């Protein structure tokens, strides 16, 4: 993997950059960065985030010799009240309409060590949730499992429970909390309580923190429910001077018209499993299906029954008191860069956000401390004479947790320049979320680069992995493989700062994280317990995993910024598209005589495959500098080719027709998203209507009414064009 000397720039180096990265990436320095970053709560828009944390990042960039640029945006953020009597809580009311004091949820999480005891901690809340009336919200409780669309369909159609006007209670997991809120609102819930089930966050075979890293009973997951990206008041445009702002009333009134899921319009609040037990045992009615049962235990250690409601025991009612407010605050992006010597107008970007719901020792500070160490190492190389061929940028984004606000505003502000110049975006949000395995995911053209780089970095879990020597060996041992024994390369959805680059511009992206056991996310996610002691005791003692993730990421950034030929393979993109076309054909075979014709889709996928193969062969053989530059531009254009300027149906901020977040779960990646969203409208009817009825079912499409299958046909046609468009972008001749 050593760089060719003629690729290094104007001067010959007396060291190998990759060997330098291996020798000089320091775990102790990484630990020092993390301890500084996670010392205080630093929620987006706070003084601690905008001054203290920002200064840590800026100082590190300045010491490395980067050129610094900052941009501040005034955006709509959301916070809970912290005054006595104004904090959010849920409870039960007795038959006389009095609050049962013993049922009240904890207003703050239990402090289990001194590092968590800080007056700047915001009590658990859901950003942008609607406040309850001053007297609170009282209603029967209905249990809705994970609050997925299929859960609500099952609730209404099979279980005959109407959630309209009820306080719905669901458990975290399976999908993004914003999609839970959206479905709850669609199905008429008056409010939504989201709890962390011990079955998912503290299984019975575990001990909670501080004995291990599992979630204590009072731990609650904060988070946003905003389903779009960027400042909610300036959709599609940056929050710069002169920006026209939508107030909440306009967002609520016109959001649906402009296909903006927008802000939630019901009260929502999170609770821990100790408090959830008090509510769940009060719900009567039928017992929930077996696959809806959880693991919460009563005071005697017995797992409770989860009932559906809306009947409640002893004439009780559910109660919510939510005082979350919204206000405009400043949020700042900090960017540092080394300008390229040969292609200064081509940008390779490594990004991570700064803000955290509380201390954020994992999310995002594991990524921030890793990025800052990469900045330091690149600064040392720069002082020794190394120069990037392309401009290499390091970005610290503000207010990501609220809805990718900093990165989205940056992309909206610099859309034209990024469209012309951005080569690739590398994301490192949760660099170390566990100690199980390296997770690599991204657009398909990143696959070889990530896997080959992983072969050059030592495995920090070699002993635990039975001698598996490299990061690649670690992945081969622990990660999913396809039917041919090849590592599965994951796709990207949303939920982190790569999304605006991929969805708005069409920049190839990847996301890097060392993860937990794939059956669990890291349990203390977005809680007060996500602190430095938790990382140093249980997640990564000695910061050895952080160190190797930093080496891996730094080597990729070196290649992307330095190699004469952009190391992203279009043939892998074409192969993935063909595979997804085959999967779509298989899915459609479940619906005989549906009238969907895939002839042109398959024809254009084959055209893309052949064009990619011809292009890759020419690209690898090219030696002339001008020809390489032209071919590099075509590599960049392939991703741009999948951008539909009209946006996806009902999701105008998402424009990538091949990969976008699932409309049912914003965390998850969905191939051919518009096609499968249309198919979902048909699949959810299966079991309730006959096949002939489905063929004739009328659904809404904006202000039109069309049959469900017409929606599928239209989206297949649209997809076919953009795959054709990508093949055309790889032509080796004039149009």
């Amino acid at each position: 993997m050593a760089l060719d000397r003629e690729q290094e720039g104007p001067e010959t180096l007396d060291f190998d950059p990759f060997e330098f990265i291996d020798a000089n990436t320091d775990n102790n320095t990484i630990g020092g960065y993390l301890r500084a970053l996670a010392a205080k709560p630093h929620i987006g828009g706070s003084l601690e985030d905008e001054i203290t944390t920002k200064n840590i990042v800026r100082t590190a960039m300045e010491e490395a010799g980067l050129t610094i640029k900052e941009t501040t945006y005034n955006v709509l953020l959301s916070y809970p009240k912290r005054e006595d009597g104004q904090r959010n809580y849920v409870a039960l009311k007795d038959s006389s309409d009095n609050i049962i004091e013993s049922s009240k949820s904890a207003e703050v999480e239990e402090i289990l060590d001194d590092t968590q005891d800080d007056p700047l901690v915001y009590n658990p809340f859901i950003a942008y949730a609607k406040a309850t009336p001053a007297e609170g919200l009282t209603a029967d409780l209905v249990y809705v499992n994970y609050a997925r669309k299929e859960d609500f369909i099952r609730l209404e159609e099979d279980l005959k429970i109407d959630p309209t006007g009820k306080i719905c209670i669901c458990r975290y997991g399976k999908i993004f909390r914003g999609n839970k809120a959206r479905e709850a609102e669609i199905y008429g819930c008056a409010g939504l309580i989201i709890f962390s089930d011990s079955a998912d966050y503290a299984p019975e075979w575990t001990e909670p923190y501080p004995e291990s890293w599992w979630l204590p009973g009072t731990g609650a997951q904060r988070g946003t429910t905003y389903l779009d990206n960027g400042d909610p008041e300036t959709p599609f445009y940056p929050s710069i001077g002169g920006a026209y702002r939508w107030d909440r009333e306009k967002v609520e009134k016109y959001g649906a018209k402009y296909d903006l899921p927008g802000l939630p319009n019901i009260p929502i609040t999170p609770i821990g499993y100790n408090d959830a037990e008090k509510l769940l045992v009060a719900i009567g009615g039928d017992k929930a299906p077996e696959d809806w049962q959880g693991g919460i235990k009563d005071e005697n250690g017995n797992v409770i029954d989860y009932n559906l409601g809306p009947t409640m025991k002893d004439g009780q009612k559910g109660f919510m008191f939510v005082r979350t407010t919204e206000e405009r605050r400043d949020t700042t992006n900090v960017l540092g860069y080394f300008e390229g010597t040969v292609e200064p107008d081509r940008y390779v970007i490594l990004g991570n956000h700064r803000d955290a719901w509380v201390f954020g020792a994992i999310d995002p500070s594991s990524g921030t401390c890793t990025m800052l160490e990469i900045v330091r190492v690149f600064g040392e190389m720069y002082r020794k004479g190394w120069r990037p061929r392309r401009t290499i940028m390091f970005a610290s984004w503000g207010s990501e947790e609220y809805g990718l606000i900093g990165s989205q505003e940056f992309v909206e502000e610099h859309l034209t320049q990024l469209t012309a110049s951005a080569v690739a975006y590398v994301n490192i949000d949760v660099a170390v979320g566990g100690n199980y395995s390296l997770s690599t995911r991204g657009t398909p053209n990143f696959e070889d680069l990530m896997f080959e780089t992983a072969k050059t970095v030592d495995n920090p879990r070699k002993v635990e992995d039975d001698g598996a020597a490299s990061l690649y060996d670690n992945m081969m041992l622990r990660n999913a493989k396809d039917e041919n024994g090849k590592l599965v390369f994951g796709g990207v959805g949303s939920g982190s700062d790569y999304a605006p680059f991929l969805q708005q511009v069409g920049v190839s992206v990847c996301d890097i994280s060392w993860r937990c056991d794939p059956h669990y996310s890291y349990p203390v996610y977005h809680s007060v317990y996500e602190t430095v002691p938790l990382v140093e005791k249980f997640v990564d003692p000695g910061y050895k995993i952080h160190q190797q993730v930093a080496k891996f990421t730094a080597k990729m950034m070196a290649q992307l910024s330095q190699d004469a030929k952009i190391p992203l393979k279009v043939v892998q993109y074409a192969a993935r598209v063909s595979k997804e076309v085959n999967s779509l054909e298989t899915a459609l075979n479940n619906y005989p005589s549906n009238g969907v014709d895939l002839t042109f889709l398959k024809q254009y996928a084959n055209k893309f495959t052949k064009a990619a193969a011809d292009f890759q062969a020419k690209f690898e053989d090219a030696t002339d500098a001008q020809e390489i530059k032209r071919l590099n531009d075509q590599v960049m254009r392939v991703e741009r080719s999948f951008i539909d300027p009209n946006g996806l149906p009902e999701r105008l901020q998402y424009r990538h027709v091949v990969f976008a977040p699932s409309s049912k779960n914003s965390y998850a990646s969905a191939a051919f998203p518009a096609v499968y969203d249309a198919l979902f409208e048909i699949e959810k009817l299966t079991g309730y209507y006959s096949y002939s009825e489905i063929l004739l079912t009328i659904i809404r499409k904006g202000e039109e009414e069309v049959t469900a299958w017409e929606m599928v046909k239209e989206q297949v046609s649209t997809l076919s064009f953009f795959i054709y468009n990508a093949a055309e972008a790889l032509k080796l001749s004039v149009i």
Side-chain angles (χ1 to χ4, degrees):
M1 268 184 64
L3 297 173
D4 294 339
R5 292 303 180 202
E6 64 183 21
Q7 294 177 4
E8 290 170 353
E11 298 179 6
T12 300
L13 295 176
D14 59 2
F15 68 93
D16 182 283
F18 295 99
E19 293 175 0
F20 189 92
I21 289 167
D22 271 329
N24 290 277
T25 304
D26 185 69
N27 58 306
N28 293 317
T29 307
I30 292 172
Y33 283 135
L34 184 69
R35 286 186 285 274
L37 289 160
K40 303 289 286 183
H42 48 285
I43 195 169
S46 68
L47 182 65
E48 292 69 38
D49 180 53
E50 293 300 305
I51 296 180
T52 307
T53 312
K54 181 180 71 176
N55 286 350
I56 296 169
V57 172
R58 184 182 179 105
T59 298
M61 289 183 176
E62 288 175 339
E63 289 177 350
L66 298 174
T67 300
I68 310 293
K69 288 193 174 182
E70 291 185 6
T71 306
T72 298
Y73 304 99
N74 190 244
V75 300
L76 187 72
L77 300 179
S78 175
Y79 305 93
K81 297 281 190 181
R82 290 195 285 191
E83 300 84 3
D84 289 343
Q86 293 294 305
R87 298 190 187 103
N88 299 341
Y89 70 94
V90 299
L92 296 169
K93 280 188 171 183
D94 62 24
S95 57
S96 300
D97 202 39
N98 298 313
I99 289 176
I100 302 172
E101 291 297 323
S102 61
S103 71
K104 288 180 66 174
S105 63
E107 295 179 1
V108 295
E109 292 155 295
E110 183 182 2
I111 301 303
L112 298 176
D113 68 51
D114 291 343
T115 60
Q116 302 153 9
D117 193 5
D118 193 303
L120 295 172
V121 172
Y122 280 92
N123 46 298
F125 76 109
I126 295 296
Y128 302 114
K130 196 92 172 205
T132 57
E135 68 276 12
L137 172 66
T138 302
D140 292 323
L141 294 173
V142 170
Y143 173 58
V144 295
N145 197 25
Y146 289 106
R148 299 167 295 186
K149 180 173 285 292
E150 56 264 41
D151 293 329
F152 279 105
I153 292 172
R154 188 176 181 185
L155 188 76
E156 289 192 334
E157 300 290 344
D158 284 353
L159 304 173
K160 307 304 180 185
I161 304 294
D162 182 2
T164 303
K166 308 300 190 293
I167 295 176
C168 292
I169 180 168
C170 73
R171 45 184 175 165
Y172 264 119
K174 305 298 183 184
I175 63 172
F176 172 53
R177 75 185 73 80
N179 297 101
K180 296 175 188 287
R182 181 68 171 165
E183 296 303 332
E185 190 175 327
I186 289 171
Y187 283 89
C189 301
L192 182 66
I193 300 168
I194 314 178
F195 68 92
S196 301
D197 197 316
S198 55
D200 299 317
Y201 294 89
E204 60 181 356
W205 47 268
T206 68
E207 289 291 334
Y209 187 82
E211 300 304 320
S212 71
W213 69 347
W214 296 92
L215 185 70
T218 63
Q221 183 188 131
R222 298 153 180 81
T224 190
T225 44
Y226 181 44
L227 281 171
D228 286 323
N229 298 329
D231 180 10
E233 293 188 327
T234 61
F236 309 118
Y237 303 102
S239 296
I240 59 176
Y244 180 77
R245 295 186 177 276
W246 293 29
D247 58 20
R248 180 182 257 276
E249 182 180 2
K250 184 170 182 178
V251 172
E252 292 176 8
K253 185 175 181 181
Y254 295 107
K257 178 179 178 181
Y258 290 99
D259 290 334
L260 298 172
L263 302 174
N265 297 312
I266 58 174
I268 311 164
T269 198
I271 59 174
Y273 53 86
N274 283 358
D275 291 323
E277 186 266 341
K278 302 170 189 175
L279 302 183
L280 292 170
V281 296
I283 300 176
D286 293 335
K287 184 177 176 180
E290 192 58 36
D291 57 330
W292 285 29
Q293 297 295 317
I296 295 178
K297 296 179 179 180
D298 61 21
E299 58 186 12
N300 298 316
N302 300 312
V303 177
I304 65 172
D305 287 337
Y306 291 29
N307 297 327
L308 295 169
T311 305
M312 297 190 66
K313 298 173 182 176
D314 303 321
Q316 298 176 79
K317 297 282 187 180
F319 179 76
M320 296 180 71
F321 184 79
V322 176
R323 308 308 298 154
T324 303
T325 62
E326 294 160 11
E327 56 186 279
R328 292 177 188 166
R329 291 196 184 182
D330 287 345
T331 193
T332 301
N333 293 334
V334 184
L335 280 84
Y337 65 90
F338 290 126
E339 188 170 345
T341 56
V342 180
E343 301 176 60
D345 60 338
R346 293 291 180 264
Y347 308 151
V348 175
I349 307 167
L350 174 63
N352 160 267
H353 71 94
R354 243 180 8 263
D355 61 305
W357 289 115
V358 198
F359 298 97
I362 295 176
D363 180 10
S365 297
S366 68
T368 311
C369 70
T370 301
M371 184 175 77
L372 294 185
E373 177 62 2
I374 296 168
V375 166
R376 187 191 66 80
V377 170
F378 272 80
E380 290 293 324
M381 289 201 300
Y382 196 86
R383 280 189 280 272
K384 290 174 66 68
W386 174 84
R387 297 292 183 270
R389 178 186 187 89
R390 303 177 187 92
T391 295
I392 184 169
M393 292 183 176
F394 301 93
S396 175
W397 310 116
S399 298
E400 181 267 1
E401 294 289 3
Y402 283 91
L404 318 185
I405 287 179
S407 56
Q408 178 74 25
E409 297 304 310
F410 173 82
V411 168
E412 288 174 350
E413 182 179 2
H414 301 288
L415 185 64
T416 300
Q417 194 170 4
L418 291 169
T419 300
S421 300
V423 173
Y425 176 82
V426 176
N427 196 62
I428 190 164
D429 185 340
V430 179
V432 181
N435 51 29
Y436 185 76
S437 179
L438 181 67
S439 171
T440 53
R441 58 185 189 147
T443 48
N445 48 358
F446 258 101
E447 181 178 330
D448 262 16
L449 175 61
M450 298 190 86
F451 286 168
E452 291 303 313
T453 304
K455 293 176 182 178
T456 73
V457 180
D458 289 342
N459 177 17
R461 303 280 293 171
K462 189 180 302 184
V463 174
E464 294 83 355
D465 289 350
D466 297 323
S470 69
L471 299 189
Y472 184 80
D473 296 329
N474 161 271
M475 291 191 290
M476 283 295 293
L477 180 69
R478 294 181 177 268
N479 292 357
K481 291 173 277 292
D482 65 18
E483 62 277 6
N484 299 313
K486 186 172 181 283
L487 273 174
V488 173
F489 185 71
V492 287
S494 186
S496 197
D497 292 301
Y498 54 77
F501 290 88
L502 179 62
Q503 296 300 325
Q504 300 291 303
V505 185
V507 177
S508 295
V509 304
C510 72
D511 185 63
I512 300 165
S513 177
W514 198 286
R515 62 178 182 168
C516 299
D517 183 305
H519 296 98
Y520 299 95
S521 60
Y522 75 88
V524 297
Y525 178 62
H526 289 183
S527 76
V528 76
Y529 307 112
E530 194 180 320
T531 60
V532 171
L534 179 121
V535 172
E536 295 186 341
K537 290 178 183 177
F538 303 116
V539 180
D540 188 19
Y543 295 94
K544 296 293 187 179
I545 298 176
H546 285 78
Q547 181 182 28
Q548 299 309 93
V549 172
K551 291 179 183 179
F552 170 76
T553 308
K555 288 183 176 182
M556 280 213 318
M557 292 300 292
Q559 286 184 276
L560 286 164
S561 65
Q562 190 61 70
D563 286 4
K565 299 174 184 176
I566 295 172
L568 302 176
K569 289 192 174 178
V570 296
V571 289
Q572 291 175 323
Y573 219 124
R576 178 64 183 276
V577 167
S578 290
K579 182 178 180 180
E580 295 297 345
V581 168
N582 292 336
S583 296
L584 176 61
E585 184 173 33
T586 300
L588 286 170
N589 286 339
N590 293 324
Y591 301 96
S593 304
N594 55 58
V596 179
D597 186 354
L598 298 185
T599 300
F600 286 103
L601 180 64
K602 292 191 287 186
Q603 178 182 320
Y604 297 151
N606 291 336
K607 177 183 174 75
F608 183 31
T609 298
K610 184 179 186 309
D614 292 345
F615 175 88
Q616 197 74 45
K618 186 174 183 69
F619 190 45
E620 290 174 3
D621 290 341
T623 57
D624 178 74
Q626 287 302 311
E627 183 181 30
I628 291 172
K629 185 177 186 303
R630 178 174 63 83
L631 296 174
N632 277 338
D633 287 347
Q634 287 180 271
V635 171
M636 291 169 56
R637 282 203 297 272
V638 168
E639 201 77 65
R640 312 292 200 269
S641 300
F642 295 121
I643 295 296
D644 185 345
N646 296 312
L648 301 183
E650 299 185 10
R651 294 189 292 161
L652 298 187
Q653 285 197 335
Y654 294 99
R655 302 175 182 172
H656 202 290
V657 299
V658 173
F659 297 111
S662 163
S663 67
K664 314 310 171 193
N665 177 15
S666 295
Y667 282 154
S669 174
F672 305 166
V675 175
Y676 280 102
D677 281 351
L679 269 178
F680 186 86
E681 295 299 322
I682 294 166
E683 290 171 0
K684 75 182 183 184
L685 300 172
T686 303
Y688 306 116
Y689 300 97
S690 68
Y691 182 72
S692 60
E693 288 175 319
I694 292 174
L695 286 175
L696 300 174
T697 297
I698 300 297
I699 61 175
R700 297 287 297 175
K701 179 189 173 234
E703 297 181 0
E704 301 177 60
E705 292 184 343
V706 298
T707 64
W709 280 110
E710 285 302 311
M711 282 283 288
V712 177
K713 292 176 186 177
E714 180 179 354
Q715 297 311 318
V716 166
S717 177
T718 301
L719 174 66
S720 300
F721 163 70
F722 282 100
I723 293 174
Y724 173 89
N725 195 35
E728 289 289 295
L730 288 174
K731 271 188 173 180
L732 298 173
S733 58
V734 177
I735 293 175

